[in-house]
Amino acid sequence: MSNAPRLTALDALHRSLGATMTDFAGWDMPLRYGSERDEHTAVRTRAGLFDLSHMGEITVTGPQAVQALDYALVGNMSTIGVGRARYTMICQEDGGIVDDLIVYRLGEHEYMVVANAGNAQVVLDAITERAAAFDAEVRDDRDNYALLAIQGPESPAVLASLTDADLDGLKYYAGLPGTVAGVPALIARTGYTGEDGFELFVAPADAEKLWRALTDAGRDAGLVPCGLSCRDTLRLEAGMPLYGHELTTALTPFDAGLGRVVKFEKEGDFVGRAALEAAAERAAAKAPRKLVGLIAEGRRVPRAGFSVVADGQVVGEVTSGAPSVTLGKPIAMAYVDAAHAAPGTSGVGVDIRGTHEAYEVVALPFYKRQK
């Protein structure tokens, strides 16, 4: 079996644009094309174009597709309308988070589950196994889609110039089939940047045509190609969790402050229900560590795994950290003890190589776009 990284349909185009490539979850992906600071700023103020073809698409169809998904996942899939999407999670029997997902309802009995690249095979295997008792078919569609994302305040105008689809009527977390620059696409108003924007699921053979059309249409609006590096700083500013950092199998959704995605009221059993009910009771009785934002008073950047300290004691752990382009200061997300989690809590620092650097505790997100 080859250990060579998988290539997206846009691989040659990325290299022609001078992208710095990196191995990410077994895929060769663009990290940046030039300055990640410039790419980050473009998405916040104009528009950025991303290749996200490494994400994992899994299609579930059949008369009992929704029952299979309600059993496999923690959310209530039966209440998603056709053309809408929902953020949810798949958990282990012990309640640990396997992955966070977006589920699109494409038709009466057709759903598309989008998993993170690094977890796509694990999620596919788990859903396949959990759906076995239902009249439903689970299909690995990873090779059948390329995924482009256009994000930023100018993205609706750029996309509107290339499609007749009703973008104004397309709500956040909704998707509709349409044609963009002559290319058939599922157009979804979703993203991972904190900005308005769209994700476009297309056939791999159409990906380069669509990328070039979006690039041409967005040139006057200041659209630039963007890599995974600025995608990470954008989602961090927006307070969005990243699997492997804020979400892991060691945490339940209640530990992560995302208990709202678990729907106990739905009919029937689901994998992890008993463990999650216990986790909900624990969270109600004694607040678990809370995910908070930290803003540096100095210039040193905290990294995942660094200890959060107060009064000489370790009170938490950094899960993600980076310089914030928008705030002009280093920021981090961290799980901290409830006693030190309130915004404005004084005396909190991060242990950066033996030095306790002062940080301000703030509520997430760090950045919220103006509507």
Side-chain angles (χ1 to χ4, degrees), residues 89-339:
M89 293 183 182
I90 182 168
C91 290
Q92 298 178 149
E93 196 68 66
D94 67 2
I97 302 167
V98 175
D99 200 12
D100 61 336
L101 312 164
I102 295 180
V103 178
Y104 296 87
R105 187 176 181 187
L106 304 181
E108 185 66 27
H109 301 295
E110 183 179 7
Y111 295 79
M112 182 170 71
V113 179
V114 181
N116 285 299
N119 296 329
Q121 188 64 47
V122 174
V123 172
L124 173 67
D125 292 345
I127 292 178
T128 302
E129 181 184 330
R130 295 174 188 188
F134 299 87
D135 186 3
E137 180 193 346
V138 179
R139 188 172 71 235
D140 179 3
D141 266 345
R142 284 176 287 179
D143 290 339
N144 296 326
Y145 288 106
L147 176 56
L148 278 63
I150 178 170
Q151 300 278 300
E154 294 292 335
S155 58
V158 173
L159 189 59
S161 72
L162 296 173
T163 182
D164 293 333
D166 178 17
L167 299 184
D168 289 341
L170 189 65
K171 296 184 174 71
Y172 186 51
Y173 265 71
L176 83 170
T179 303
V180 182
V183 170
L186 172 67
I187 306 167
R189 199 163 210 150
T190 46
Y192 194 51
T193 62
E195 297 299 336
D196 193 9
F198 303 87
E199 295 184 318
L200 307 170
F201 295 85
V202 300
D206 291 330
E208 186 170 334
K209 177 184 176 184
L210 182 56
W211 179 284
R212 292 188 187 280
L214 287 163
T215 299
D216 290 345
R219 189 163 282 120
D220 290 345
L223 177 143
V224 301
C226 294
L228 294 182
S229 186
C230 82
R231 189 168 182 251
D232 190 49
T233 53
L234 289 160
R235 71 91 196 168
L236 177 56
E237 287 185 350
M240 294 176 167
L242 175 64
Y243 195 87
H245 290 255
E246 288 72 42
L247 309 174
T248 71
T249 52
L251 297 170
T252 73
F254 295 94
D255 297 324
L258 291 165
R260 65 181 182 276
V261 306
V262 182
K263 303 300 182 186
F264 294 122
E265 70 274 15
K266 66 179 174 176
E267 287 184 23
D269 194 16
F270 61 90
V271 176
R273 179 191 271 273
L276 290 168
E277 285 173 342
E281 288 178 18
R282 285 197 305 274
K286 178 183 181 295
R289 281 187 166 181
K290 190 172 180 199
L291 188 64
V292 302
L294 299 173
I295 299 179
E297 295 184 12
R299 308 304 307 169
R300 297 184 74 185
V301 178
R303 298 297 181 192
F306 285 15
S307 294
V308 180
V309 293
D311 302 322
Q313 303 293 313
V314 174
V315 298
E317 185 176 305
V318 172
T319 52
S320 297
S324 167
V325 176
T326 305
L327 275 61
K329 297 177 179 180
I331 59 172
M333 286 200 280
Y335 282 110
V336 302
D337 294 345

Side-chain angles (χ1 to χ4, degrees), residues 29-43:
M29 298 298 295
L31 190 64
R32 70 183 74 81
Y33 297 84
S35 154
E36 53 200 66
R37 169 179 286 271
D38 290 347
E39 292 171 25
H40 182 113
T41 302
V43 175

Side-chain angles (χ1 to χ4, degrees), residues 355-368:
T355 304
H356 291 188
E357 301 283 341
Y359 275 76
E360 179 189 359
V361 179
V362 300
L364 293 169
F366 300 98
Y367 165 86
K368 209 166 195 174

